[in-house]
Amino acid sequence: MDTQFLLSLAAMAALLPVGLVRHDDDAPSLPFWLALAVGIAGPGVWIADNIGDGWRTGLAATLWVAVFASMLLFAGLVRLERTAMRLTALLVPYLLSLATLATIWQHAPARPLLGNEPEAWLISHILMAVAAYGLLTLAAVAGLGVYLQERALRLKRPTEFTRRLPSVAAGEGLLVRLLIASGMVLAFALVSGVTVSWLTQGRLIVPDHKTLLSLATFLAIAVLVVVHYRGGLSGRRAARYVLFAYLLLTLAYPGVKFVTDVLIG
């Protein structure tokens, strides 16, 4: 059996414990932290084995990096906001779905980098872009949690699953803070991307799909934050718009990779 396939299965299996472990609702338990460490290590090992000697632009690498970044940022978020631990029930299944797609298309051809990018700026751009996507992933998961909680309350039919999620107020707080953080990091990613474009091609903005969708995502986030603080956006409406912003960035990041590496290939 293909070694890379086995490594991908092992990385997927590493995500399972954090979704299965039982923990105290008031504070993360030691088993939770251990399971979370395993969940981070699994994708981390895949990344170290596949792109440790240089950045890969393929769809599988893009998805595994997104999974790793989301898990790593989630650990930091739980450390700062204990209630974020309740997002595990939504986050782990979603990341498993990304890992499954990465495993299915792990042999899709990757398009190389241009080769003349300034290394420092390129690394900065990649790190900022990955962090922005990871933060917006967490914001989208928090938004989905708010949507499900409000729907259960409106229908007066809470379930065992919705009881495991953050309350509406706690979920909204997480959503807004994550949205602000992702917008700030995305702004840095756009600036570093503009710098790389100027140094390599002599143009500030290359009007490709990735750039335009990233700009649209940043504008959507900025509008969401402004409208929220003016008191015009909360609850399920906010969750819907956050999910829309996440869709835009998903189209810009792994979406473009899917089209170029799989559909066009």
Side-chain angles (χ1 to χ4, degrees), residues 103-174:
T103 302
I104 292 173
W105 282 297
Q106 65 180 351
H107 295 302
R111 294 174 181 268
L113 296 173
L114 294 178
N116 61 337
E117 298 88 348
E119 185 175 356
W121 281 106
L122 180 62
I123 292 174
S124 173
H125 174 64
I126 291 172
L127 290 176
M128 291 297 102
V130 169
Y133 189 72
L135 288 168
L136 197 55
T137 296
L138 298 180
V141 170
L144 181 58
V146 170
Y147 178 86
L148 294 175
Q149 280 284 42
E150 275 209 349
R151 184 173 183 274
L153 291 173
R154 183 172 58 86
L155 298 175
K156 298 180 179 179
R157 288 189 297 184
T159 65
E160 182 63 30
F161 181 76
T162 58
R163 292 190 185 97
R164 295 173 58 191
L165 301 175
S167 66
V168 173
E172 282 187 4
L174 285 170

Side-chain angles (χ1 to χ4, degrees), residues 56-144:
R56 301 286 188 273
T57 64
L59 177 62
T62 297
L63 292 175
W64 276 118
V65 168
V67 171
F68 174 76
S70 298
M71 288 294 290
L72 190 62
L73 290 167
F74 179 61
L77 181 63
V78 174
R79 184 69 180 84
L80 296 172
E81 302 270 358
R82 288 181 175 181
T83 189
M85 180 175 52
R86 289 173 169 263
L87 295 176
T88 305
L90 290 173
L91 179 64
V92 172
Y94 176 66
L95 295 183
L96 275 171
S97 68
L98 292 185
T100 301
L101 293 175
T103 302
I104 292 173
W105 282 297
Q106 65 180 351
H107 295 302
R111 294 174 181 268
L113 296 173
L114 294 178
N116 61 337
E117 298 88 348
E119 185 175 356
W121 281 106
L122 180 62
I123 292 174
S124 173
H125 174 64
I126 291 172
L127 290 176
M128 291 297 102
V130 169
Y133 189 72
L135 288 168
L136 197 55
T137 296
L138 298 180
V141 170
L144 181 58

Side-chain angles (χ1 to χ4, degrees), residues 40 47-48 55 107 133 156 159 170 187 191 199 204 228 245 247 259:
I40 295 171
I47 291 170
W55 184 253
H107 295 302
Y133 189 72
K156 298 180 179 179
T159 65
V191 170
L199 293 175
L204 288 176
H228 171 79
L247 174 62
V259 172

